[in-house]
């Protein structure tokens, strides 16, 4: 027969909590003493049984925990507990007879062995109830612990997924930037190449040294985006025409780390850089109730917007879509559309401020 795996000792409730769980069932015996107060020795005997039952709760709880650690089948465990509690109830009867003999309350100063097996119901049932309460508490304790471990595992898995997606951007970004530097060197534009390398070093220093939370205030993300734009300005010069539409009221909003950089890179690499003239890049952020709305739009060379829309998502856009789904499942919107000579990406995210609720590295 398949047996349940034994729960580790750490998965069991504290011993004192196990005793408290069974205390109400055993303490209910105290109610049986009240009617017998002032009526001979009955109150003394019932008080003795109550005290002994309280003492028996200690080895009973220890026995249950030992059986759980061994991982016995449930029917074996129940059989042992039933037998143990029955033996405890019999021992209570024996203690009562010995007390009566010691106090001279019995004419026949011998133990009546046959009578030990009678009148066990109250003590035996109280001990069984205490054991059941302990088992229910242990089950609830283990269930809550397993739920917490499950949530922690899900959070760790989600954190690893987000890290992998974020790290995927770095080699992609470096590859594109080094290609641009190589092109500048080939064109003998050494000053621009040196400036681009210097800006690249500053950008990488800032992104790699920063705390690795998955969400950052929009103000931080804009600062990182400006560092990246300095890299592109070294290559494109006046051809890059940038327009920000961001008010101070949205700078505290939490957004995914490295949200803007892949959008800007996609806009420049596939929209503005291939053209011969200047190109417009517009970045807007507004608050709409409990939503944050972001838009990144750019000019593209004739027909390039339609070709980009038909080629499927670029790596940066696909990566961002997957990160948004991991961070805000079913609570965000993402669209990338071409309209004539313009390509626009729109995001709709839940509003969260950096001074309030913040998603940590391991949030569920």
């Amino acid at each position: 027969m398949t047996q349940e795996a034994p729960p580790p000792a750490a998965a069991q409730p504290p011993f004192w909590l196990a005793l408290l769980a069974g205390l109400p069932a055993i303490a209910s015996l105290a109610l049986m003493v009240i009617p017998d107060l002032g009526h001979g020795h009955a109150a003394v005997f019932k008080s003795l049984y109550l005290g002994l039952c309280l003492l028996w709760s200690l080895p009973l709880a220890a026995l249950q925990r030992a059986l759980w650690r061994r991982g016995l089948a449930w029917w074996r465990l129940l059989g042992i507990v039933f037998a143990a509690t029955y033996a405890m109830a019999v021992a209570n009867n024996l203690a009562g007879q010995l007390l009566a003999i010691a106090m001279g309350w019995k004419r026949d100063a011998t133990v009546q062995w046959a009578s030990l097996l009678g009148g066990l119901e109250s003590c035996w049932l109280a001990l069984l109830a205490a054991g059941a309460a302990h088992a229910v508490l242990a089950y609830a304790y283990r269930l809550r612990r397993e739920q917490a471990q499950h949530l922690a595992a899900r959070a760790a898995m989600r954190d690893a997924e987000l890290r992998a997606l974020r790290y995927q951007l770095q080699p992609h970004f470096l590859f594109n930037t080094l290609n641009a530097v190589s092109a500048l060197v080939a064109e003998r534009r050494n000053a621009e190449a040196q400036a681009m390398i210097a800006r690249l070093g500053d950008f990488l220093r800032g992104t790699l040294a920063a705390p690795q939370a998955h969400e950052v205030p929009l103000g931080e993300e804009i600062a990182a985006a400006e560092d990246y734009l300095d890299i592109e300005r070294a290559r494109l010069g006046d051809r890059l025409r940038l327009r920000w539409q961001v008010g101070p009221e949205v700078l505290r909003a939490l957004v995914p780390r490295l949200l803007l950089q892949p959008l800007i890179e996609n806009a420049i690499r596939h929209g503005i850089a291939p053209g011969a003239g200047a190109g417009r890049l517009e970045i807007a952020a507004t608050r709409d109730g409990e939503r944050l709305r972001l838009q990144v739009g750019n000019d593209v060379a004739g027909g390039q917007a339609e070709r980009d829309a038909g080629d499927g998502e670029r790596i940066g856009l696909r990566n961002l879509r997957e990160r948004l789904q991991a961070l805000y499942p079913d609570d965000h919107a993402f669209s990338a559309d071409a309209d004539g000579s313009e390509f626009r990406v729109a995001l709709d995210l839940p509003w969260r401020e950096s001074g309030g609720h913040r998603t940590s590295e391991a949030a569920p």
Side-chain angles (χ1 to χ4, degrees):
M1 175 177 290
T2 302
Q3 297 183 2
E4 183 181 353
Q12 298 183 11
F15 194 79
W16 62 267
L17 193 58
L19 297 179
L20 287 181
L23 186 61
I26 295 177
S28 62
L29 293 175
L31 298 177
M32 302 175 60
V33 179
I34 296 176
D36 295 316
L37 292 176
H39 294 81
H41 306 310
V44 177
F45 285 116
K46 290 186 177 181
S47 297
L48 172 67
Y49 297 153
L50 171 61
L52 290 175
C53 283
L54 289 173
L55 291 177
W56 283 126
S57 64
L58 294 170
L60 175 59
L63 173 65
Q64 285 181 281
R65 296 162 80 89
L67 294 175
W68 292 334
R69 281 194 294 269
R70 293 186 61 183
L72 294 181
W74 66 268
W75 56 272
R76 289 186 177 178
L77 190 147
L78 283 180
I80 294 174
V81 171
F82 268 74
T85 51
Y86 186 83
M88 293 172 184
V90 171
N92 279 10
N93 275 1
L94 176 60
Q97 289 197 33
L98 293 176
L99 174 64
I101 293 172
M103 300 298 296
W105 295 340
K106 289 186 63 176
R107 294 179 181 178
D108 184 5
T110 59
V111 175
Q112 302 297 318
W113 299 104
S115 64
L116 293 180
L117 303 180
L120 301 176
E121 294 81 6
S122 59
C123 182
W124 189 25
L125 290 177
L127 289 171
L128 287 176
H134 182 197
V136 170
L137 174 67
Y139 177 80
Y141 186 86
R142 289 176 56 196
L143 180 61
R144 173 165 291 192
R145 184 181 180 88
E146 289 172 2
Q147 289 174 339
Q149 291 173 342
H150 177 68
L151 290 176
R154 286 185 58 189
M157 182 175 65
R158 172 178 166 274
D159 176 74
E161 178 185 2
L162 286 168
R163 285 178 182 273
L165 288 170
R166 194 170 69 220
Y167 294 158
Q168 183 187 84
L169 291 175
Q170 293 173 352
H172 173 69
F173 155 71
L174 284 173
F175 177 78
N176 290 337
T177 304
L178 292 176
N179 271 351
V181 171
S182 177
L184 291 176
V185 172
E187 296 171 6
R188 299 185 181 279
R189 297 167 58 184
N190 295 336
E192 290 93 332
Q194 290 176 349
M196 196 171 188
I197 293 172
R199 297 297 186 189
L200 174 61
D202 293 338
F203 177 76
L204 291 177
R205 201 162 28 245
T207 55
L208 295 178
Q212 293 303 300
H214 293 309
E215 287 183 315
V216 295
L218 181 59
E220 284 186 31
E221 186 61 18
I222 289 175
E226 284 284 8
D227 289 338
Y228 173 72
L229 284 167
D230 285 341
I231 297 173
E232 294 294 356
R233 288 191 187 98
R235 178 166 65 107
L236 300 174
D238 293 337
R239 290 184 55 206
L240 177 59
R241 297 180 180 177
L242 177 65
R243 182 184 181 189
W244 290 95
Q245 290 183 308
V246 180
E249 71 280 0
V250 298
L251 295 181
R252 289 167 54 88
L254 289 174
V255 297
R257 179 178 290 279
L258 290 179
L259 169 71
L260 294 177
Q261 185 273 327
L263 295 179
I264 294 173
E265 181 182 7
N266 183 77
I268 294 175
R269 179 173 176 80
H270 302 290
I272 299 173
R280 174 190 57 88
L281 174 61
E282 184 175 297
I283 304 170
T286 58
R287 179 176 184 176
D288 183 5
E290 294 303 310
R291 311 298 297 179
L292 174 66
R293 304 194 187 280
L294 292 163
Q295 286 193 345
V296 177
N298 60 277
D299 294 332
V300 294
Q304 184 64 33
E306 286 76 7
R307 288 195 294 273
D308 282 350
D311 288 343
E313 288 186 334
R314 304 288 180 178
I315 292 178
L317 298 184
R318 184 174 66 251
N319 178 286
L320 178 58
R321 185 186 292 276
E322 293 174 0
R323 285 197 291 145
L324 291 176
Q325 180 58 32
L327 276 170
Y328 319 109
D330 304 321
D331 193 22
H332 72 281
F334 176 95
S335 64
D337 302 306
D339 182 12
S341 61
E342 181 183 41
F343 191 82
R344 183 170 296 275
V345 176
L347 302 174
D348 180 12
L349 307 178
W351 178 271
R352 290 204 285 258
E353 292 189 12
S354 57
H357 172 72
R358 179 167 183 148
T359 302
S360 67
E361 282 288 314

